Amino acid sequence: MKRKLVVAGCLAGCSAVAQADSNVTLYGDIDQYIGYIHSSSGNSVTGLNDGAILRSRLGLRGVEDLGSGYQTKFTLEQGLNANTGAAADSSRLFDRQAWIGMNTPVGEFRIGRQNTIIFFIGGAIDYTERTTYGSVINTFGVPSRYDNDISYKSPRIAGFQADAHYALTETAGESVGTRGVYQLGLDYTNGPYRAGYAGLWAKPAANATYSQMVVYHNVYADYDYGHGKLYFAYVRSNNVTASANGNTAAAILNNVSIPNNAFPGTNTSVQRMYNIYQVSADYRINPQLRIGALYGVIRDSSGGDAGAQGGNVGAYYDLSKRTTLYGFGNYMKNDANAGFRFSGSAGPTANLAGADINGKSLIGLQAGILHRF
């Protein structure tokens, strides 16, 4: 009850500020869809889910112009389960972002809970922005945001822009830089072409049984041919392991939060590397209607037969600049020892697990509405 009052008071106060100062903006979106998932085991599930494309959220962002090319910036953003009205993470007031920064002539500096570089380049990965059931890169799992994060983003020069993050462990007895979550990115744009790299590294605890780092390397290239885009993406990572939901259904390094931004290094699966390949294309039929398709493969390079393959076809129909209807048909086939399952921008509350996904083929249908404000 106290938490609800705090949220209500905060939003009411900030709304008043937004009206008084145009540099503070209240924003968000609501994304709801009907999801149907059928397994080759014979079981299926249907549910109302949040976030096929964008997680429902409520946020505040602000900018103060200090003059001479300097600005103070901040963002506070909370995820929502719009189908229930609950917070996406009940342990946090602003689970998605909570940072303050300075934009300067030499680049932008931020500190706080921030989205990763990998998350930020989602629009360059496939026509769904790497969020629907059919995207195998999304199915594998995307490191999305971490606490205690210090970042720098350069200005774009000759088409290139660099990005770097370091999330501190805040562990007693460890000097800064000993452990933590490190990120580097480089993005290039030139007319219809875009290409780049986004990477992440994380060291385990000092006394870890397995000292191998968790890594996530993402390379992408796009071409805008006028009526749509072609997308090519490659990921190499060892950030997947076993859980009660399936043979390969949870990350070793949590993708959104973990104590001290570290992992214990006790799971042998950190030694297993995956290569992920995905291609995608879309086509705009008219100003309102866009269609697309994608196909991807997850390969278990250890030879453990724990990969998968899949894809989708889909369409977006813009009712206005803020409201979009969408629909997707998705398919995925797990290898004999794999247990991947569908995910969206948010994990579906109505999903299959265990024997219904391990080594099974899945069909998924999504139909919903997205409104941004």
Side-chain angles (χ1 to χ4, degrees), residues 118 137 140 143 184 196-201 213-220 233-238 273-276:
I118 298 161
I137 291 178
F140 182 85
L184 286 175
Y197 164 81
L200 176 148
W201 301 259
M213 291 193 298
V214 162
V215 298
Y216 190 103
H217 304 293
N218 193 170
V219 178
Y220 55 92
Y234 167 74
V235 171
R236 181 171 173 81
S237 179
N238 58 351
M273 196 69 67
Y274 290 84
N275 294 312
I276 308 170

Side-chain angles (χ1 to χ4, degrees), residues 23-25 60-63 72-76 99-101:
N23 288 331
V24 178
T25 303
L60 295 161
R61 64 167 68 99
V63 179
T72 301
K73 303 176 70 175
F74 77 87
T75 293
L76 299 171
W99 57 264
I100 188 168

Side-chain angles (χ1 to χ4, degrees), residues 180-205:
V181 178
Y182 304 81
Q183 301 175 58
L184 286 175
L186 183 65
D187 184 82
Y188 174 73
T189 60
N190 183 8
Y193 300 98
R194 182 181 182 184
Y197 164 81
L200 176 148
W201 301 259
K203 294 181 180 180

Side-chain angles (χ1 to χ4, degrees), residues 282-337:
D282 64 2
Y283 179 80
R284 186 165 289 280
I285 296 176
N286 58 47
Q288 289 180 289
L289 179 61
R290 178 169 62 99
I291 60 174
L294 64 85
Y295 174 76
V297 177
I298 302 173
R299 298 197 185 280
D300 174 10
S301 64
S302 72
D305 202 19
Q309 59 183 301
N312 84 354
V313 294
Y316 297 85
Y317 186 81
D318 295 326
L319 296 175
S320 69
K321 291 183 179 180
R322 297 180 180 273
T323 303
T324 301
L325 301 177
Y326 58 83
F328 304 99
N330 312 274
Y331 174 78
M332 182 171 63
K333 183 180 185 302
N334 279 297
D335 291 345
N337 297 321

Side-chain angles (χ1 to χ4, degrees), residues 28-36 46-58 77-89 95-96 131-133 138 145 326 342-351 365-371 373:
D29 66 76
I30 300 177
D31 183 352
Q32 290 276 273
Y33 69 99
I34 297 292
Y36 169 79
T46 302
L48 178 63
N49 298 305
D50 181 276
I53 303 170
L54 294 177
R55 182 82 203 231
S56 295
R57 70 198 68 185
L58 190 62
E77 187 177 277
Q78 180 188 43
L80 305 171
N81 286 315
N83 50 315
T84 64
D89 183 345
D95 65 301
R96 295 187 61 85
T131 55
T132 60
Y133 285 178
N138 186 50
R145 58 193 60 88
Y326 58 83
F342 290 139
S343 183
S345 179
T349 52
N351 209 339
L365 301 175
Q366 298 169 278
I369 181 170
L370 166 64
H371 178 76
F373 59 89

